[in-house]
PDB file of all heavy atoms in Angstrom:
ATOM      1  N   GLY A  28      36.367  -0.255   1.781  1.00 95.00           N
ATOM      2  CA  GLY A  28      36.538  -0.293   3.228  1.00 95.00           C
ATOM      3  C   GLY A  28      36.103   1.008   3.866  1.00 95.00           C
ATOM      4  O   GLY A  28      35.922   2.016   3.183  1.00 95.00           O
ATOM      5  N   VAL A 105      34.798  -7.082   7.908  1.00 97.00           N
ATOM      6  CA  VAL A 105      35.941  -6.166   7.923  1.00 97.00           C
ATOM      7  C   VAL A 105      35.471  -4.736   8.172  1.00 97.00           C
ATOM      8  O   VAL A 105      35.953  -4.055   9.089  1.00 97.00           O
ATOM      9  CB  VAL A 105      36.724  -6.237   6.593  1.00 97.00           C
ATOM     10  CG1 VAL A 105      37.792  -5.150   6.555  1.00 97.00           C
ATOM     11  CG2 VAL A 105      37.351  -7.607   6.407  1.00 97.00           C
ATOM     12  N   GLU A 109      36.098  -2.105  11.394  1.00 97.00           N
ATOM     13  CA  GLU A 109      36.608  -0.740  11.226  1.00 97.00           C
ATOM     14  C   GLU A 109      35.682   0.250  11.925  1.00 97.00           C
ATOM     15  O   GLU A 109      36.138   1.148  12.628  1.00 97.00           O
ATOM     16  CB  GLU A 109      36.703  -0.390   9.739  1.00 97.00           C
ATOM     17  CG  GLU A 109      37.793  -1.093   8.975  1.00 97.00           C
ATOM     18  CD  GLU A 109      37.926  -0.553   7.568  1.00 97.00           C
ATOM     19  OE1 GLU A 109      38.590   0.484   7.385  1.00 97.00           O
ATOM     20  OE2 GLU A 109      37.352  -1.148   6.645  1.00 97.00           O
ATOM     21  N   GLN A 113      35.893   2.688  15.696  1.00 97.00           N
ATOM     22  CA  GLN A 113      35.669   4.122  15.779  1.00 97.00           C
ATOM     23  C   GLN A 113      34.654   4.488  16.856  1.00 97.00           C
ATOM     24  O   GLN A 113      34.387   5.676  17.088  1.00 97.00           O
ATOM     25  CB  GLN A 113      35.211   4.668  14.416  1.00 97.00           C
ATOM     26  CG  GLN A 113      36.272   4.540  13.333  1.00 97.00           C
ATOM     27  CD  GLN A 113      37.597   5.154  13.747  1.00 97.00           C
ATOM     28  OE1 GLN A 113      37.678   6.339  14.053  1.00 97.00           O
ATOM     29  NE2 GLN A 113      38.653   4.339  13.809  1.00 97.00           N
ATOM     30  N   ALA A 114      34.114   3.472  17.517  1.00 97.00           N
ATOM     31  CA  ALA A 114      33.112   3.715  18.560  1.00 97.00           C
ATOM     32  C   ALA A 114      33.604   4.681  19.646  1.00 97.00           C
ATOM     33  O   ALA A 114      32.834   5.509  20.122  1.00 97.00           O
ATOM     34  CB  ALA A 114      32.666   2.390  19.177  1.00 97.00           C
ATOM     35  N   TYR A 116      35.293   7.248  19.356  1.00 96.00           N
ATOM     36  CA  TYR A 116      35.288   8.627  18.866  1.00 96.00           C
ATOM     37  C   TYR A 116      33.912   9.071  18.361  1.00 96.00           C
ATOM     38  O   TYR A 116      33.658  10.260  18.242  1.00 96.00           O
ATOM     39  CB  TYR A 116      36.307   8.788  17.734  1.00 96.00           C
ATOM     40  CG  TYR A 116      37.651   8.174  18.044  1.00 96.00           C
ATOM     41  CD1 TYR A 116      38.061   6.999  17.462  1.00 96.00           C
ATOM     42  CD2 TYR A 116      38.515   8.792  18.955  1.00 96.00           C
ATOM     43  CE1 TYR A 116      39.296   6.432  17.748  1.00 96.00           C
ATOM     44  CE2 TYR A 116      39.740   8.237  19.246  1.00 96.00           C
ATOM     45  CZ  TYR A 116      40.121   7.055  18.651  1.00 96.00           C
ATOM     46  OH  TYR A 116      41.330   6.498  18.946  1.00 96.00           O
ATOM     47  N   ASP A 128      24.264  -5.129  20.642  1.00 98.00           N
ATOM     48  CA  ASP A 128      24.856  -6.128  21.530  1.00 98.00           C
ATOM     49  C   ASP A 128      23.870  -6.532  22.616  1.00 98.00           C
ATOM     50  O   ASP A 128      23.751  -7.712  22.953  1.00 98.00           O
ATOM     51  CB  ASP A 128      26.129  -5.565  22.166  1.00 98.00           C
ATOM     52  CG  ASP A 128      26.916  -6.649  22.888  1.00 98.00           C
ATOM     53  OD1 ASP A 128      27.426  -7.546  22.199  1.00 98.00           O
ATOM     54  OD2 ASP A 128      27.004  -6.593  24.132  1.00 98.00           O
ATOM     55  N   HIS A 155      26.019 -13.527  32.724  1.00 98.00           N
ATOM     56  CA  HIS A 155      27.462 -13.696  32.530  1.00 98.00           C
ATOM     57  C   HIS A 155      27.755 -14.672  31.395  1.00 98.00           C
ATOM     58  O   HIS A 155      28.631 -14.425  30.560  1.00 98.00           O
ATOM     59  CB  HIS A 155      28.154 -14.178  33.800  1.00 98.00           C
ATOM     60  CG  HIS A 155      29.541 -14.702  33.542  1.00 98.00           C
ATOM     61  ND1 HIS A 155      30.618 -13.869  33.301  1.00 98.00           N
ATOM     62  CD2 HIS A 155      30.024 -15.971  33.430  1.00 98.00           C
ATOM     63  CE1 HIS A 155      31.695 -14.595  33.073  1.00 98.00           C
ATOM     64  NE2 HIS A 155      31.366 -15.882  33.144  1.00 98.00           N
ATOM     65  N   ALA A 159      29.964 -14.066  28.164  1.00 98.00           N
ATOM     66  CA  ALA A 159      31.093 -14.931  27.845  1.00 98.00           C
ATOM     67  C   ALA A 159      31.006 -15.398  26.394  1.00 98.00           C
ATOM     68  O   ALA A 159      31.998 -15.335  25.648  1.00 98.00           O
ATOM     69  CB  ALA A 159      31.118 -16.125  28.793  1.00 98.00           C
ATOM     70  N   THR A 162      31.796 -12.650  24.038  1.00 98.00           N
ATOM     71  CA  THR A 162      33.243 -12.401  24.015  1.00 98.00           C
ATOM     72  C   THR A 162      33.920 -13.344  23.022  1.00 98.00           C
ATOM     73  O   THR A 162      34.772 -12.923  22.229  1.00 98.00           O
ATOM     74  CB  THR A 162      33.842 -12.602  25.419  1.00 98.00           C
ATOM     75  OG1 THR A 162      33.222 -11.685  26.331  1.00 98.00           O
ATOM     76  CG2 THR A 162      35.340 -12.378  25.414  1.00 98.00           C
ATOM     77  N   ILE A 163      33.489 -14.615  23.054  1.00 98.00           N
ATOM     78  CA  ILE A 163      34.037 -15.589  22.112  1.00 98.00           C
ATOM     79  C   ILE A 163      33.650 -15.222  20.674  1.00 98.00           C
ATOM     80  O   ILE A 163      34.480 -15.286  19.757  1.00 98.00           O
ATOM     81  CB  ILE A 163      33.545 -17.009  22.470  1.00 98.00           C
ATOM     82  CG1 ILE A 163      34.108 -17.422  23.843  1.00 98.00           C
ATOM     83  CG2 ILE A 163      33.952 -18.011  21.401  1.00 98.00           C
ATOM     84  CD1 ILE A 163      33.499 -18.699  24.416  1.00 98.00           C
ATOM     85  N   ASP A 165      32.889 -12.191  19.443  1.00 98.00           N
ATOM     86  CA  ASP A 165      33.628 -11.005  19.004  1.00 98.00           C
ATOM     87  C   ASP A 165      35.102 -11.317  18.786  1.00 98.00           C
ATOM     88  O   ASP A 165      35.739 -10.748  17.893  1.00 98.00           O
ATOM     89  CB  ASP A 165      33.469  -9.877  20.035  1.00 98.00           C
ATOM     90  CG  ASP A 165      32.110  -9.200  19.925  1.00 98.00           C
ATOM     91  OD1 ASP A 165      31.525  -9.247  18.832  1.00 98.00           O
ATOM     92  OD2 ASP A 165      31.636  -8.630  20.929  1.00 98.00           O
ATOM     93  N   GLY A 166      35.640 -12.213  19.605  1.00 98.00           N
ATOM     94  CA  GLY A 166      37.031 -12.624  19.417  1.00 98.00           C
ATOM     95  C   GLY A 166      37.224 -13.328  18.094  1.00 98.00           C
ATOM     96  O   GLY A 166      38.158 -13.025  17.345  1.00 98.00           O
ATOM     97  N   GLY A 167      36.331 -14.241  17.780  1.00 98.00           N
ATOM     98  CA  GLY A 167      36.416 -14.953  16.515  1.00 98.00           C
ATOM     99  C   GLY A 167      36.298 -14.018  15.333  1.00 98.00           C
ATOM    100  O   GLY A 167      37.047 -14.127  14.361  1.00 98.00           O
ATOM    101  N   THR A 169      36.921 -10.713  15.258  1.00 98.00           N
ATOM    102  CA  THR A 169      38.108  -9.858  15.186  1.00 98.00           C
ATOM    103  C   THR A 169      39.272 -10.604  14.542  1.00 98.00           C
ATOM    104  O   THR A 169      39.931 -10.098  13.630  1.00 98.00           O
ATOM    105  CB  THR A 169      38.517  -9.385  16.591  1.00 98.00           C
ATOM    106  OG1 THR A 169      37.499  -8.534  17.124  1.00 98.00           O
ATOM    107  CG2 THR A 169      39.827  -8.607  16.544  1.00 98.00           C
ATOM    108  N   ARG A 170      39.492 -11.817  15.006  1.00 98.00           N
ATOM    109  CA  ARG A 170      40.616 -12.599  14.487  1.00 98.00           C
ATOM    110  C   ARG A 170      40.430 -12.966  13.025  1.00 98.00           C
ATOM    111  O   ARG A 170      41.386 -12.989  12.247  1.00 98.00           O
ATOM    112  CB  ARG A 170      40.838 -13.841  15.356  1.00 98.00           C
ATOM    113  CG  ARG A 170      41.271 -13.499  16.778  1.00 98.00           C
ATOM    114  CD  ARG A 170      41.407 -14.724  17.670  1.00 98.00           C
ATOM    115  NE  ARG A 170      42.465 -15.619  17.253  1.00 98.00           N
ATOM    116  CZ  ARG A 170      43.761 -15.437  17.512  1.00 98.00           C
ATOM    117  NH1 ARG A 170      44.136 -14.357  18.178  1.00 98.00           N
ATOM    118  NH2 ARG A 170      44.651 -16.294  17.099  1.00 98.00           N
ATOM    119  N   VAL A 173      41.470  -9.680  11.218  1.00 98.00           N
ATOM    120  CA  VAL A 173      42.877  -9.305  11.329  1.00 98.00           C
ATOM    121  C   VAL A 173      43.772 -10.291  10.586  1.00 98.00           C
ATOM    122  O   VAL A 173      44.706  -9.890   9.888  1.00 98.00           O
ATOM    123  CB  VAL A 173      43.301  -9.217  12.812  1.00 98.00           C
ATOM    124  CG1 VAL A 173      44.797  -8.922  12.921  1.00 98.00           C
ATOM    125  CG2 VAL A 173      42.493  -8.149  13.531  1.00 98.00           C
ATOM    126  N   PHE A 174      43.466 -11.582  10.735  1.00 98.00           N
ATOM    127  CA  PHE A 174      44.329 -12.593  10.125  1.00 98.00           C
ATOM    128  C   PHE A 174      43.779 -13.073   8.789  1.00 98.00           C
ATOM    129  O   PHE A 174      44.369 -13.954   8.150  1.00 98.00           O
ATOM    130  CB  PHE A 174      44.514 -13.763  11.091  1.00 98.00           C
ATOM    131  CG  PHE A 174      45.038 -13.334  12.425  1.00 98.00           C
ATOM    132  CD1 PHE A 174      44.406 -13.719  13.597  1.00 98.00           C
ATOM    133  CD2 PHE A 174      46.157 -12.507  12.516  1.00 98.00           C
ATOM    134  CE1 PHE A 174      44.879 -13.298  14.833  1.00 98.00           C
ATOM    135  CE2 PHE A 174      46.629 -12.089  13.748  1.00 98.00           C
ATOM    136  CZ  PHE A 174      45.993 -12.480  14.906  1.00 98.00           C
ATOM    137  N   THR A 186      35.039 -23.233  20.172  1.00 98.00           N
ATOM    138  CA  THR A 186      35.278 -22.766  21.539  1.00 98.00           C
ATOM    139  C   THR A 186      33.953 -22.489  22.251  1.00 98.00           C
ATOM    140  O   THR A 186      33.768 -22.856  23.421  1.00 98.00           O
ATOM    141  CB  THR A 186      36.135 -21.495  21.540  1.00 98.00           C
ATOM    142  OG1 THR A 186      37.353 -21.750  20.841  1.00 98.00           O
ATOM    143  CG2 THR A 186      36.449 -21.042  22.960  1.00 98.00           C
ATOM    144  N   GLU A 189      32.484 -25.723  23.218  1.00 98.00           N
ATOM    145  CA  GLU A 189      33.161 -26.264  24.396  1.00 98.00           C
ATOM    146  C   GLU A 189      32.662 -25.583  25.667  1.00 98.00           C
ATOM    147  O   GLU A 189      32.467 -26.230  26.702  1.00 98.00           O
ATOM    148  CB  GLU A 189      34.680 -26.089  24.277  1.00 98.00           C
ATOM    149  CG  GLU A 189      35.338 -27.021  23.265  1.00 98.00           C
ATOM    150  CD  GLU A 189      36.759 -26.610  22.929  1.00 98.00           C
ATOM    151  OE1 GLU A 189      37.211 -25.544  23.406  1.00 98.00           O
ATOM    152  OE2 GLU A 189      37.419 -27.332  22.169  1.00 98.00           O
ATOM    153  N   TYR A 190      32.465 -24.265  25.562  1.00 98.00           N
ATOM    154  CA  TYR A 190      31.962 -23.523  26.720  1.00 98.00           C
ATOM    155  C   TYR A 190      30.571 -24.017  27.109  1.00 98.00           C
ATOM    156  O   TYR A 190      30.283 -24.249  28.286  1.00 98.00           O
ATOM    157  CB  TYR A 190      31.937 -22.023  26.415  1.00 98.00           C
ATOM    158  CG  TYR A 190      31.594 -21.177  27.621  1.00 98.00           C
ATOM    159  CD1 TYR A 190      32.588 -20.736  28.480  1.00 98.00           C
ATOM    160  CD2 TYR A 190      30.278 -20.813  27.905  1.00 98.00           C
ATOM    161  CE1 TYR A 190      32.294 -19.963  29.600  1.00 98.00           C
ATOM    162  CE2 TYR A 190      29.969 -20.040  29.014  1.00 98.00           C
ATOM    163  CZ  TYR A 190      30.974 -19.626  29.854  1.00 98.00           C
ATOM    164  OH  TYR A 190      30.678 -18.866  30.953  1.00 98.00           O
TER     165      TYR A 190
ATOM    166  N   GLY B  28      44.098   9.205  18.174  1.00 95.00           N
ATOM    167  CA  GLY B  28      43.656   7.935  17.607  1.00 95.00           C
ATOM    168  C   GLY B  28      44.289   7.695  16.248  1.00 95.00           C
ATOM    169  O   GLY B  28      44.861   8.608  15.651  1.00 95.00           O
ATOM    170  N   VAL B 105      42.693   0.954  22.163  1.00 97.00           N
ATOM    171  CA  VAL B 105      41.843   1.553  21.129  1.00 97.00           C
ATOM    172  C   VAL B 105      42.623   1.695  19.823  1.00 97.00           C
ATOM    173  O   VAL B 105      42.188   1.228  18.770  1.00 97.00           O
ATOM    174  CB  VAL B 105      41.317   2.938  21.578  1.00 97.00           C
ATOM    175  CG1 VAL B 105      40.596   3.630  20.439  1.00 97.00           C
ATOM    176  CG2 VAL B 105      40.396   2.800  22.783  1.00 97.00           C
ATOM    177  N   GLU B 109      42.166  -0.147  16.078  1.00 97.00           N
ATOM    178  CA  GLU B 109      42.051   0.601  14.827  1.00 97.00           C
ATOM    179  C   GLU B 109      43.063   0.080  13.810  1.00 97.00           C
ATOM    180  O   GLU B 109      42.740  -0.132  12.642  1.00 97.00           O
ATOM    181  CB  GLU B 109      42.313   2.093  15.077  1.00 97.00           C
ATOM    182  CG  GLU B 109      41.226   2.825  15.827  1.00 97.00           C
ATOM    183  CD  GLU B 109      41.492   4.323  15.867  1.00 97.00           C
ATOM    184  OE1 GLU B 109      41.181   5.018  14.878  1.00 97.00           O
ATOM    185  OE2 GLU B 109      42.046   4.804  16.874  1.00 97.00           O
ATOM    186  N   GLN B 113      42.827  -2.446  10.095  1.00 97.00           N
ATOM    187  CA  GLN B 113      43.404  -2.080   8.794  1.00 97.00           C
ATOM    188  C   GLN B 113      44.276  -3.191   8.215  1.00 97.00           C
ATOM    189  O   GLN B 113      44.804  -3.062   7.103  1.00 97.00           O
ATOM    190  CB  GLN B 113      44.215  -0.784   8.919  1.00 97.00           C
ATOM    191  CG  GLN B 113      43.377   0.425   9.275  1.00 97.00           C
ATOM    192  CD  GLN B 113      42.208   0.610   8.329  1.00 97.00           C
ATOM    193  OE1 GLN B 113      42.378   0.777   7.127  1.00 97.00           O
ATOM    194  NE2 GLN B 113      40.984   0.538   8.869  1.00 97.00           N
ATOM    195  N   ALA B 114      44.410  -4.284   8.976  1.00 97.00           N
ATOM    196  CA  ALA B 114      45.233  -5.406   8.517  1.00 97.00           C
ATOM    197  C   ALA B 114      44.821  -5.927   7.136  1.00 97.00           C
ATOM    198  O   ALA B 114      45.687  -6.270   6.336  1.00 97.00           O
ATOM    199  CB  ALA B 114      45.208  -6.534   9.552  1.00 97.00           C
ATOM    200  N   TYR B 116      43.963  -4.345   4.643  1.00 96.00           N
ATOM    201  CA  TYR B 116      44.402  -3.438   3.584  1.00 96.00           C
ATOM    202  C   TYR B 116      45.907  -3.191   3.608  1.00 96.00           C
ATOM    203  O   TYR B 116      46.484  -2.767   2.623  1.00 96.00           O
ATOM    204  CB  TYR B 116      43.678  -2.089   3.709  1.00 96.00           C
ATOM    205  CG  TYR B 116      42.181  -2.222   3.898  1.00 96.00           C
ATOM    206  CD1 TYR B 116      41.584  -1.987   5.133  1.00 96.00           C
ATOM    207  CD2 TYR B 116      41.372  -2.606   2.834  1.00 96.00           C
ATOM    208  CE1 TYR B 116      40.218  -2.119   5.309  1.00 96.00           C
ATOM    209  CE2 TYR B 116      40.005  -2.739   2.996  1.00 96.00           C
ATOM    210  CZ  TYR B 116      39.436  -2.493   4.236  1.00 96.00           C
ATOM    211  OH  TYR B 116      38.085  -2.637   4.399  1.00 96.00           O
ATOM    212  N   ARG B 121      49.372  -6.616   8.866  1.00 97.00           N
ATOM    213  CA  ARG B 121      48.921  -7.989   9.074  1.00 97.00           C
ATOM    214  C   ARG B 121      50.087  -8.888   9.476  1.00 97.00           C
ATOM    215  O   ARG B 121      49.995  -9.657  10.425  1.00 97.00           O
ATOM    216  CB  ARG B 121      48.240  -8.530   7.820  1.00 97.00           C
ATOM    217  CG  ARG B 121      47.639  -9.924   8.026  1.00 97.00           C
ATOM    218  CD  ARG B 121      46.675 -10.329   6.931  1.00 97.00           C
ATOM    219  NE  ARG B 121      47.300 -10.425   5.625  1.00 97.00           N
ATOM    220  CZ  ARG B 121      47.056  -9.622   4.602  1.00 97.00           C
ATOM    221  NH1 ARG B 121      46.208  -8.626   4.767  1.00 97.00           N
ATOM    222  NH2 ARG B 121      47.649  -9.782   3.449  1.00 97.00           N
ATOM    223  N   ASP B 128      50.914 -12.637  17.250  1.00 98.00           N
ATOM    224  CA  ASP B 128      49.936 -13.628  17.706  1.00 98.00           C
ATOM    225  C   ASP B 128      50.578 -15.012  17.818  1.00 98.00           C
ATOM    226  O   ASP B 128      50.316 -15.745  18.777  1.00 98.00           O
ATOM    227  CB  ASP B 128      48.764 -13.671  16.724  1.00 98.00           C
ATOM    228  CG  ASP B 128      47.594 -14.472  17.263  1.00 98.00           C
ATOM    229  OD1 ASP B 128      46.992 -14.008  18.250  1.00 98.00           O
ATOM    230  OD2 ASP B 128      47.305 -15.554  16.722  1.00 98.00           O
ATOM    231  N   HIS B 155      44.844 -25.950  19.769  1.00 98.00           N
ATOM    232  CA  HIS B 155      43.475 -25.447  19.739  1.00 98.00           C
ATOM    233  C   HIS B 155      43.149 -24.675  21.016  1.00 98.00           C
ATOM    234  O   HIS B 155      42.524 -23.617  20.960  1.00 98.00           O
ATOM    235  CB  HIS B 155      42.468 -26.584  19.567  1.00 98.00           C
ATOM    236  CG  HIS B 155      41.062 -26.169  19.890  1.00 98.00           C
ATOM    237  ND1 HIS B 155      40.313 -25.374  19.048  1.00 98.00           N
ATOM    238  CD2 HIS B 155      40.287 -26.371  20.991  1.00 98.00           C
ATOM    239  CE1 HIS B 155      39.144 -25.135  19.606  1.00 98.00           C
ATOM    240  NE2 HIS B 155      39.092 -25.718  20.784  1.00 98.00           N
ATOM    241  N   ALA B 159      41.807 -20.963  21.354  1.00 98.00           N
ATOM    242  CA  ALA B 159      40.558 -20.683  22.058  1.00 98.00           C
ATOM    243  C   ALA B 159      40.762 -19.556  23.074  1.00 98.00           C
ATOM    244  O   ALA B 159      39.973 -18.609  23.137  1.00 98.00           O
ATOM    245  CB  ALA B 159      40.052 -21.942  22.754  1.00 98.00           C
ATOM    246  N   THR B 162      41.175 -16.293  21.368  1.00 98.00           N
ATOM    247  CA  THR B 162      39.872 -15.811  20.899  1.00 98.00           C
ATOM    248  C   THR B 162      39.163 -15.055  22.023  1.00 98.00           C
ATOM    249  O   THR B 162      38.601 -13.978  21.810  1.00 98.00           O
ATOM    250  CB  THR B 162      39.002 -16.994  20.421  1.00 98.00           C
ATOM    251  OG1 THR B 162      39.664 -17.664  19.348  1.00 98.00           O
ATOM    252  CG2 THR B 162      37.628 -16.515  19.965  1.00 98.00           C
ATOM    253  N   ILE B 163      39.224 -15.627  23.225  1.00 98.00           N
ATOM    254  CA  ILE B 163      38.608 -14.960  24.381  1.00 98.00           C
ATOM    255  C   ILE B 163      39.329 -13.649  24.693  1.00 98.00           C
ATOM    256  O   ILE B 163      38.697 -12.624  24.963  1.00 98.00           O
ATOM    257  CB  ILE B 163      38.634 -15.899  25.609  1.00 98.00           C
ATOM    258  CG1 ILE B 163      37.749 -17.121  25.346  1.00 98.00           C
ATOM    259  CG2 ILE B 163      38.184 -15.160  26.864  1.00 98.00           C
ATOM    260  CD1 ILE B 163      37.895 -18.231  26.377  1.00 98.00           C
ATOM    261  N   ASP B 165      41.084 -11.692  22.571  1.00 98.00           N
ATOM    262  CA  ASP B 165      40.774 -10.694  21.546  1.00 98.00           C
ATOM    263  C   ASP B 165      39.334 -10.220  21.654  1.00 98.00           C
ATOM    264  O   ASP B 165      39.032  -9.057  21.377  1.00 98.00           O
ATOM    265  CB  ASP B 165      41.044 -11.282  20.161  1.00 98.00           C
ATOM    266  CG  ASP B 165      42.533 -11.317  19.830  1.00 98.00           C
ATOM    267  OD1 ASP B 165      43.275 -10.506  20.406  1.00 98.00           O
ATOM    268  OD2 ASP B 165      42.960 -12.152  19.004  1.00 98.00           O
ATOM    269  N   GLY B 166      38.446 -11.125  22.046  1.00 98.00           N
ATOM    270  CA  GLY B 166      37.058 -10.732  22.243  1.00 98.00           C
ATOM    271  C   GLY B 166      36.924  -9.721  23.364  1.00 98.00           C
ATOM    272  O   GLY B 166      36.243  -8.708  23.224  1.00 98.00           O
ATOM    273  N   GLY B 167      37.590  -9.980  24.470  1.00 98.00           N
ATOM    274  CA  GLY B 167      37.556  -9.058  25.603  1.00 98.00           C
ATOM    275  C   GLY B 167      38.114  -7.696  25.235  1.00 98.00           C
ATOM    276  O   GLY B 167      37.540  -6.654  25.576  1.00 98.00           O
ATOM    277  N   THR B 169      38.403  -6.359  22.155  1.00 98.00           N
ATOM    278  CA  THR B 169      37.509  -5.690  21.205  1.00 98.00           C
ATOM    279  C   THR B 169      36.332  -5.058  21.934  1.00 98.00           C
ATOM    280  O   THR B 169      35.997  -3.890  21.721  1.00 98.00           O
ATOM    281  CB  THR B 169      36.992  -6.685  20.151  1.00 98.00           C
ATOM    282  OG1 THR B 169      38.088  -7.144  19.358  1.00 98.00           O
ATOM    283  CG2 THR B 169      35.958  -6.035  19.241  1.00 98.00           C
ATOM    284  N   ARG B 170      35.720  -5.828  22.818  1.00 98.00           N
ATOM    285  CA  ARG B 170      34.534  -5.328  23.516  1.00 98.00           C
ATOM    286  C   ARG B 170      34.884  -4.183  24.458  1.00 98.00           C
ATOM    287  O   ARG B 170      34.098  -3.243  24.624  1.00 98.00           O
ATOM    288  CB  ARG B 170      33.855  -6.467  24.268  1.00 98.00           C
ATOM    289  CG  ARG B 170      33.267  -7.519  23.326  1.00 98.00           C
ATOM    290  CD  ARG B 170      32.668  -8.704  24.056  1.00 98.00           C
ATOM    291  NE  ARG B 170      31.483  -8.359  24.842  1.00 98.00           N
ATOM    292  CZ  ARG B 170      30.270  -8.190  24.334  1.00 98.00           C
ATOM    293  NH1 ARG B 170      30.090  -8.338  23.039  1.00 98.00           N
ATOM    294  NH2 ARG B 170      29.266  -7.891  25.106  1.00 98.00           N
ATOM    295  N   VAL B 173      35.085  -1.160  22.004  1.00 98.00           N
ATOM    296  CA  VAL B 173      33.826  -0.760  21.373  1.00 98.00           C
ATOM    297  C   VAL B 173      32.854  -0.190  22.401  1.00 98.00           C
ATOM    298  O   VAL B 173      32.207   0.823  22.162  1.00 98.00           O
ATOM    299  CB  VAL B 173      33.185  -1.952  20.641  1.00 98.00           C
ATOM    300  CG1 VAL B 173      31.830  -1.561  20.064  1.00 98.00           C
ATOM    301  CG2 VAL B 173      34.107  -2.463  19.544  1.00 98.00           C
ATOM    302  N   THR B 186      35.988 -15.548  31.858  1.00 98.00           N
ATOM    303  CA  THR B 186      35.638 -16.567  30.863  1.00 98.00           C
ATOM    304  C   THR B 186      36.838 -17.460  30.573  1.00 98.00           C
ATOM    305  O   THR B 186      36.701 -18.689  30.479  1.00 98.00           O
ATOM    306  CB  THR B 186      35.156 -15.892  29.563  1.00 98.00           C
ATOM    307  OG1 THR B 186      34.062 -15.034  29.851  1.00 98.00           O
ATOM    308  CG2 THR B 186      34.730 -16.942  28.539  1.00 98.00           C
ATOM    309  N   GLU B 189      37.190 -19.810  33.388  1.00 98.00           N
ATOM    310  CA  GLU B 189      36.198 -20.882  33.284  1.00 98.00           C
ATOM    311  C   GLU B 189      36.622 -21.917  32.265  1.00 98.00           C
ATOM    312  O   GLU B 189      36.461 -23.124  32.475  1.00 98.00           O
ATOM    313  CB  GLU B 189      34.826 -20.304  32.903  1.00 98.00           C
ATOM    314  CG  GLU B 189      34.147 -19.539  34.024  1.00 98.00           C
ATOM    315  CD  GLU B 189      32.969 -18.712  33.537  1.00 98.00           C
ATOM    316  OE1 GLU B 189      32.731 -18.667  32.312  1.00 98.00           O
ATOM    317  OE2 GLU B 189      32.293 -18.099  34.374  1.00 98.00           O
ATOM    318  N   TYR B 190      37.179 -21.438  31.155  1.00 98.00           N
ATOM    319  CA  TYR B 190      37.636 -22.366  30.107  1.00 98.00           C
ATOM    320  C   TYR B 190      38.749 -23.252  30.647  1.00 98.00           C
ATOM    321  O   TYR B 190      38.747 -24.458  30.447  1.00 98.00           O
ATOM    322  CB  TYR B 190      38.118 -21.586  28.882  1.00 98.00           C
ATOM    323  CG  TYR B 190      38.450 -22.470  27.701  1.00 98.00           C
ATOM    324  CD1 TYR B 190      37.476 -22.844  26.777  1.00 98.00           C
ATOM    325  CD2 TYR B 190      39.746 -22.949  27.500  1.00 98.00           C
ATOM    326  CE1 TYR B 190      37.763 -23.659  25.699  1.00 98.00           C
ATOM    327  CE2 TYR B 190      40.056 -23.776  26.424  1.00 98.00           C
ATOM    328  CZ  TYR B 190      39.056 -24.123  25.529  1.00 98.00           C
ATOM    329  OH  TYR B 190      39.354 -24.932  24.459  1.00 98.00           O
TER     330      TYR B 190
END
Side-chain angles (χ1 to χ4, degrees):
Chain A
V105 172
E109 289 187 83
Q113 295 307 301
Y116 313 106
D128 191 67
H155 165 76
T162 300
I163 295 170
D165 283 335
T169 294
R170 295 176 65 80
V173 176
F174 305 129
T186 304
E189 287 166 355
Y190 187 88
Chain B
V105 172
E109 288 187 81
Q113 295 307 300
Y116 312 106
R121 185 166 63 248
D128 191 67
H155 165 74
T162 300
I163 295 169
D165 283 335
T169 295
R170 294 176 66 79
V173 176
T186 303
E189 288 166 355
Y190 187 88

